[in-house]
Amino acid sequence: MKVEMEDVDDSTLCDSVSSLVEGCRLPVHMKGTSDWPLAEIVSIKDLDGLKVYYVHYVDFNKRLDEWVTEQSLDTRKVHFPRKDAAPGTGVSTPKKVQIGSGISNSGQVSRPASPVSTNSELLNGNAVLAAALQKKINRKRKGPSLEGEDSQDGPPSQQSAATGGPRQSGSMVSHHDDIVTRMKNIEMIEIGPHRVRPWYFAPYPQEMVHLACIYICEFCLKYRKSRKCLERHLIKCNLRHPPGNEIYRKDNISFFEIDGRKNKVYAQNLCLLAKLFLDHKTLYYDTDPFLFYVMTVFDHRGFHIVGYFSKEKESTEDYNVACILTLPPYQRKGYGKLLIEFSYELSKFEGKTGSPEKPLSDLGLLSYRSYWAQTILEILLSAKPIGENEKAQITINEICELTSIKKEDVISTLQNLNLINYYKGQYIITLSKEIIQQHYKAMETRQIRIDSKALHWTPKDWGKRAKW
């Protein structure tokens, strides 16, 4: 395995792992692969006399962060934290790092550099809860997100709880003390028949964090310490579907609309569950200004949660989605695009164009780009020429009206697909045979679609309603 680095004056040969400290960067063997990508040591602890290291693989998504032993560390080339680095910035990344085939699946930097020290005692939900509740008490407006796309490499905006008007970016919580949220704190969850290993930190109560598994009721989403506790809960729990209005049903798929103010406990538990699989973006406890649209599949036992998206009751930026998630057991089955399609169907009923709040997760970005491309190509291929021997004509605004996709997203999608050409003073959209074939092939895999006739929903004008 070749390791090539440039401009690494802060690197030294390290004879012993005993000199390693939090903030060091070095090649680490990634479990399940033969690669040794550059990783940063986030935390070090003794586990029954064995020293273990929590590492983040640089330029990889945080979901791949893990605990490793010293056997997985390549101490021949270590980058120690620079003494002159500003507090909280960690070690600076070399200009060029080429380590094996260590390429991020998302092709994105997952987050800024790490703090140079980590206090594991702060890694609990109580600290996050206190911060979130304090923000709710202060009720101060924060600034909007500056990130322009839905990757996870941008800084999350502050969560606002203003009462004087709609929020700029209400779904995201940013922690000034990044130490709190840097490490996964839940080992395993069990929800319904599924056991799932979480991807990220979630602020569950401290007494739940050190359990081997957290047991979650798949209907009301309350969490319990053991399966026996869950079984006792299920005897009393009379919910067999999310506690809201069923606004869509087609075959075995239903959508329920949940008001974050009327069903606060359910909404908070939903956000806790979602935070296990969303990194930068999710609200925690101030759910009042949000609606939650939960997608379920139905069988003889009830309505089982598949995924959801949240939406601000009022959005100054025309966001039609705040957070969106398909739970891991249901991913790669078409449900993600169904959630996105449903959000745009709601926008059509409202007579608006919409866009997801930024940033989205890396997986969310892939789903949205794919949905936008397929939806816009459907419109283009169905456009009819006005007369014989003439090409079909359609404007960007007409595409927006037909799809409810915001203008910027339509333009960026056409550009990403290289469909726009400038010819004789006007823009021409050119569809190659290859693009058309790829589109039809992709559409064959979309077995489930939203049927607008199965949606029974009337938009509310939240601006005219009493403030919460």
Side-chain angles (χ1 to χ4, degrees), residues 7 23 76 105 130 189 275 288 294 330 350 394 410 427 435 459:
D7 190 26
R76 290 173 295 179
N105 292 333
I189 65 165
K275 184 62 192 73
D288 289 19
V294 179
Y330 297 96
E350 293 174 312
I394 190 168
V410 172
Y427 288 98
I435 285 285

Side-chain angles (χ1 to χ4, degrees), residues 88-325:
T89 60
V91 61
S92 59
T93 308
K95 288 183 181 177
K96 178 181 177 183
V97 178
Q98 187 176 14
I99 303 179
S101 57
I103 301 174
S104 168
N105 292 333
S106 63
Q108 301 165 347
V109 178
S110 64
R111 63 190 159 100
S114 316
V116 296
S117 64
T118 301
N119 184 351
S120 60
E121 292 179 2
L122 293 177
L123 295 174
N124 64 74
N126 296 334
V128 179
L129 173 57
L133 291 178
Q134 186 61 45
K135 288 179 182 178
K136 183 176 179 180
I137 293 168
N138 291 340
R139 292 285 184 188
K140 292 181 181 178
R141 180 183 296 275
K142 306 292 183 179
S145 169
L146 300 178
E147 178 64 16
E149 61 146 284
D150 90 327
S151 66
Q152 292 182 349
D153 53 358
S157 71
Q158 302 289 337
Q159 181 174 354
S160 167
T163 56
R167 301 167 177 215
Q168 296 292 322
S169 179
S171 71
M172 292 178 285
V173 173
S174 175
H175 301 288
H176 293 292
D177 187 0
D178 192 42
I179 295 172
V180 174
T181 59
R182 291 208 60 191
M183 296 164 59
K184 301 173 197 174
N185 59 335
I186 307 297
E187 182 67 25
M188 187 77 68
I189 65 165
E190 184 172 298
I191 178 167
H194 307 290
R195 276 204 155 208
V196 187
R197 194 174 296 279
W199 296 350
Y200 305 111
F201 170 93
Y204 279 91
Q206 182 63 27
E207 61 268 21
M208 311 296 291
V209 168
H210 300 297
L211 300 175
C213 183
I214 295 177
Y215 296 83
I216 298 174
C217 173
E218 61 178 326
F219 299 113
C220 73
L221 304 184
K222 288 182 179 177
Y223 44 87
R224 292 293 181 261
K225 294 182 179 181
S226 68
R227 186 178 280 114
K228 188 175 273 293
C229 290
L230 179 64
E231 289 170 355
R232 286 201 297 266
H233 163 79
L234 290 174
I235 294 172
K236 303 178 209 171
C237 183
N238 54 12
L239 273 184
R240 286 299 174 266
H241 60 76
N245 297 323
E246 186 181 11
I247 61 173
Y248 178 94
R249 183 185 292 193
K250 179 72 181 291
D251 300 325
N252 70 329
I253 292 175
S254 292
F255 279 85
F256 291 82
E257 181 183 64
I258 289 98
D259 188 323
R261 181 178 66 85
K262 293 179 180 177
N263 297 286
K264 191 184 294 285
V265 173
Y266 179 89
Q268 290 174 350
N269 286 333
L270 176 59
C271 293
L272 279 174
L273 174 63
K275 184 62 192 73
L276 294 169
F277 307 103
L278 294 173
D279 185 11
H280 286 321
K281 258 188 65 175
T282 192
L283 59 99
Y284 294 137
Y285 297 100
D286 187 18
T287 60
D288 289 19
F290 292 88
L291 297 169
F292 298 82
Y293 296 90
V294 179
M295 181 168 65
T296 65
V297 291
F298 174 78
D299 64 17
H300 67 282
R301 292 177 50 246
F303 295 80
H304 308 277
I305 180 171
V306 168
Y308 88 104
F309 65 89
S310 58
K311 176 180 179 178
E312 287 183 280
K313 293 172 181 174
E314 293 183 272
S315 173
T316 56
E317 302 293 331
D318 292 328
Y319 292 133
N320 62 357
V321 164
C323 296
I324 185 168
L325 172 72

Side-chain angles (χ1 to χ4, degrees), residues 20 24-28 37-39 41 73-75 77-79:
L20 295 176
C24 285
R25 294 189 175 190
L26 71 168
V28 176
L38 186 71
I41 296 176
L73 308 178
D74 183 353
T75 57
K77 203 75 170 176
V78 178
H79 303 259

Side-chain angles (χ1 to χ4, degrees), residues 15-45:
D15 296 329
S16 172
V17 292
S18 61
S19 59
L20 295 176
V21 295
E22 290 149 353
C24 285
R25 294 189 175 190
L26 71 168
V28 176
H29 179 232
M30 183 183 287
K31 289 179 184 175
T33 74
S34 59
D35 296 330
W36 291 73
L38 186 71
E40 179 178 341
I41 296 176
V42 176
S43 181
I44 304 172
K45 71 177 181 180

Side-chain angles (χ1 to χ4, degrees), residues 372-408:
W372 288 332
Q374 291 177 10
T375 303
I376 292 169
L377 285 170
E378 266 190 313
I379 297 296
L380 296 177
L381 291 170
S382 64
K384 303 295 183 185
I386 298 173
E388 298 181 16
N389 303 323
E390 287 189 20
K391 301 289 185 183
Q393 293 187 2
I394 190 168
T395 66
I396 298 291
N397 287 336
E398 286 172 335
I399 295 174
C400 295
E401 289 174 14
L402 290 169
T403 63
S404 280
I405 299 174
K406 209 164 186 179
K407 191 172 184 178
E408 303 90 271

